[in-house]
């Protein structure tokens, strides 16, 4: 028997290596360990993914691969030290067959070494820095990457006479990805990012950067901020009169987040964004998903919810293939999965373990008194451009 009590890290680490040999294979129950920010600044991500996981289980039952599935949800408050500790406890004490969740990039990065040491598949349902899938061969992603959505928006901007751009991103991994890939494509198309601004991940103040945007007077402001910050940003953008000053706002869909869109007011109308999911995506599969989600939760699903829902699909179908076994067999069974998500058709790239998906260009419109991201253009089957560079 492995002694798995909360001792020093060294004991836990050697236990991690042993777990990888398949300690959970004999049991009738498989456990999935989900780590999410249920509290703190990123709590909306936790609330959305938690609701989506519960919807998946309500619709698909609690059995996969002939075993009973138990989902354990832990709150890391989006603090990477807590993520690491919880991942370790879930692997060593609970012997989970897979880890999942991960609201922000630093959390996913903190847990990746534990996935490697214990050979536990780690499904990233939210975080979106390109390099996360390279942090461990056990990482598989059902969210998206910032390069994946930023390049298409730069193309749209260039095609629509936007030449001089200021960018504004959150000052960490996904922000750097958005800033770099957007700027490179704009430059390639003959335009330019004339100023690159960044705001802190925690408690950002948008007033000083918005003043700089005003002074620079670009054709457009390109923005990436993590889910949860969009409404506060949009309010200040309007209050400072940037919309009236003729500065066009374009953004990744994280900013016109379906979770907050209706709180943003009319200043959001007309904002063009690019993303992999809109609650208004006009497919029968999405209509079914949104209706069931709203009936269960009384709020609208956003892209985080879809990452969680599809992540559960990935794990369930993987377990069906392995008959409940984890480790290398389960990662292999996740690679190459092709399915219809509420967002459209998706493929888990067998080489990169990242998601290949359509990216949509959308515009915020008011319909029946509610704001929606209405898709008007599609870039088919986009692979993460951040890989192999
Ligand atoms: C991330 O930290 O990777 C992240 C979080 C929220 C987003 C996008 C990326 O909306």
């Amino acid at each position: 028997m492995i002694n798995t009590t909360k001792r020093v890290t060294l004991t836990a680490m050697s236990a991690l290596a042993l777990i990888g040999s398949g300690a959970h294979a004999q049991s009738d129950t498989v456990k999935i360990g989900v780590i999410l920010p249920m509290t703190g600044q990123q709590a909306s991500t936790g609330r959305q993914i938690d609701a989506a996981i519960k919807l998946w289980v309500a619709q698909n039952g609690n059995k996969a691969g002939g075993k009973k599935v138990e989902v354990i949800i832990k709150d890391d408050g989006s603090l990477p030290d807590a993520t690491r500790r919880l991942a370790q406890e879930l692997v060593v004490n609970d012997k989970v067959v897979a880890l999942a969740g991960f609201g922000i990039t630093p959390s996913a990065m903190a847990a990746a070494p534990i996935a490697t040491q214990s050979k536990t598949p780690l499904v990233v349902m939210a975080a979106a820095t390109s390099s996360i899938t390279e942090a461990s061969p056990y990482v598989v992603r059902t969210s998206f990457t910032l390069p994946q959505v930023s390049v298409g928006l730069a193309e749209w901007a260039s095609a629509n006479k936007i030449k001089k751009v200021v960018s504004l991103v959150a000052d960490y991994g996904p922000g750097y990805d958005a800033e770099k890939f957007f700027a490179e494509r704009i430059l390639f198309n003959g335009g330019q990012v004339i100023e690159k601004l960044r705001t802190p991940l925690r408690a950002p103040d948008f007033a000083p950067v918005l003043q700089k945007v005003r002074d620079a007077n670009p054709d457009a402001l390109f923005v990436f901020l993590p889910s949860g910050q969009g409404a506060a940003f949009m309010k200040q953008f309007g209050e400072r009169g940037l919309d009236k000053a003729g500065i066009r706002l374009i953004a990744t869909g994280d900013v016109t987040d379906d979770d907050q869109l209706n709180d943003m007011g009319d200043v959001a109308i007309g904002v063009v964004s690019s993303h992999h999911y809109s609650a208004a995506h006009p497919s029968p599969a999405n209509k079914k998903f949104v209706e069931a989600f709203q009936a269960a939760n009384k709020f609208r699903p956003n892209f985080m919810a879809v990452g969680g829902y599809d992540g559960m699909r990935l794990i369930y179908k993987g377990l069906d293939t392995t008959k409940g076994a984890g480790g290398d067999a389960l990662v292999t069974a996740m690679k190459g999965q092709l399915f219809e998500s509420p967002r459209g058709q998706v493929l888990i790239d067998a080489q990169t373990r990242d998601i290949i998906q359509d990216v949509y260009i959308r515009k915020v419109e008011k319909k029946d008194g509610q704001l929606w991201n209405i898709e008007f253009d599609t870039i088919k089957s986009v692979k993460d451009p951040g890989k192999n560079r």
Side-chain angles (χ1 to χ4, degrees):
M1 264 306 281
I2 307 158
N3 183 347
T4 58
T5 48
K6 296 179 198 91
R7 289 243 205 97
V8 288
T9 309
L10 210 63
T11 315
M13 282 302 179
S14 33
L16 282 175
L18 285 168
I19 295 291
S21 57
H24 39 65
Q26 285 82 34
S27 166
D28 291 339
T29 301
V30 286
K31 296 179 187 173
I32 302 170
V34 183
I35 307 175
L36 290 171
M38 300 304 298
T39 54
Q41 193 177 272
Q42 247 60 43
S44 64
T45 295
R47 176 169 48 85
Q48 285 275 349
I49 295 180
D50 177 48
I53 290 173
K54 294 200 165 97
L55 178 63
W56 173 273
V57 174
Q59 291 175 334
N60 295 277
N62 64 349
K63 286 200 108 180
K67 309 232 175 192
K68 186 165 172 272
V69 175
E70 189 185 319
V71 180
I72 306 171
I73 300 203
K74 300 277 185 187
D75 174 19
D76 67 359
S78 81
L79 301 170
D81 285 345
T83 320
R84 187 183 299 107
R85 176 178 53 77
L86 291 168
Q88 198 155 328
E89 286 173 12
L90 285 164
V91 166
V92 175
N93 298 348
D94 297 299
K95 302 183 175 51
V96 295
V97 76
L99 290 164
F102 308 101
I104 58 169
T105 291
S107 293
M109 289 306 214
I114 292 164
T116 305
Q117 282 149 16
S118 64
K119 300 188 193 295
T120 307
L122 185 161
V123 178
V124 175
M125 296 170 157
T129 301
S130 175
S131 60
I132 295 171
T133 43
E134 289 155 344
S136 165
Y138 293 89
V139 169
V140 184
R141 174 155 39 202
T142 56
S143 52
F144 73 108
T145 78
L146 267 305
Q148 194 172 43
V149 297
S150 300
V151 170
L153 187 63
E155 289 289 2
W156 179 86
S158 298
N160 286 274
K161 300 196 177 64
I162 292 173
K163 283 203 171 325
K164 253 184 6 174
V165 182
V166 172
S167 65
L168 167 60
V169 301
D171 192 359
Y172 76 122
Y176 307 152
D177 273 359
E179 181 187 85
K180 176 170 184 271
F181 282 81
F182 182 88
E184 279 182 7
R185 187 53 64 106
I186 282 280
L187 194 64
F188 181 80
N189 290 339
Q192 203 188 348
V193 174
I194 55 172
E195 194 163 355
K196 295 177 178 168
L197 303 170
R198 295 176 177 178
T199 45
L201 169 62
R202 314 267 174 202
D205 176 8
F206 301 117
V209 284
L210 286 174
Q211 188 55 48
K212 287 189 182 159
V213 175
R214 219 190 165 133
D215 296 343
N217 194 28
D219 299 332
L221 170 64
F222 164 65
V223 183
F224 160 75
L225 295 168
S227 182
Q229 296 187 5
F233 168 78
M234 204 66 86
K235 189 162 165 272
Q236 291 212 22
F237 185 84
E239 277 172 7
R240 281 164 196 279
L242 271 83
D243 51 339
K244 309 269 174 347
I247 298 170
R248 184 140 200 198
L249 178 61
I250 58 176
T252 65
D254 311 76
V255 178
T256 56
D257 187 344
D258 273 302
D259 188 74
Q260 295 191 325
L261 191 54
N262 271 317
D263 305 330
M264 292 184 194
D266 288 358
V267 62
I269 294 174
V271 172
V272 169
S273 63
S274 58
H275 230 205
H276 55 296
Y277 180 69
S278 164
H281 179 62
S283 73
N286 186 52
K287 286 209 171 85
K288 240 177 87 190
F289 171 72
V290 172
E291 268 170 33
F293 189 98
Q294 281 189 316
N297 299 295
K298 314 282 173 261
F299 56 88
R300 190 192 286 185
N302 72 354
F303 62 101
M304 294 299 188
V306 172
Y309 191 74
D310 290 348
M312 289 302 286
R313 197 252 181 223
L314 198 67
I315 298 169
Y316 265 54
K317 300 294 166 193
L319 288 169
D320 284 346
T321 305
T322 66
K323 301 196 169 38
D328 287 303
L330 185 53
V331 186
T332 303
M334 290 178 180
K335 291 179 188 173
Q337 281 195 32
L338 171 74
F339 57 97
E340 192 183 354
S341 154
R343 66 187 106 176
Q345 182 97 172
V346 299
L347 169 67
I348 302 301
D349 186 334
Q351 261 80 50
T352 63
R353 290 163 276 102
D354 223 326
I355 188 160
I356 300 176
Q357 58 192 335
D358 293 351
V359 171
Y360 307 93
I361 311 294
R362 316 96 49 88
K363 186 185 259 179
V364 177
E365 291 177 21
K366 199 177 233 174
K367 286 201 169 155
D368 305 325
Q370 287 202 38
L371 297 180
W372 298 95
N373 290 296
I374 303 297
E375 298 166 353
F376 64 88
D377 207 354
T378 306
I379 310 157
K380 296 295 287 177
S381 304
V382 183
K383 262 181 111 149
D384 173 29
K387 301 289 185 310
N388 303 319
R389 285 165 57 96

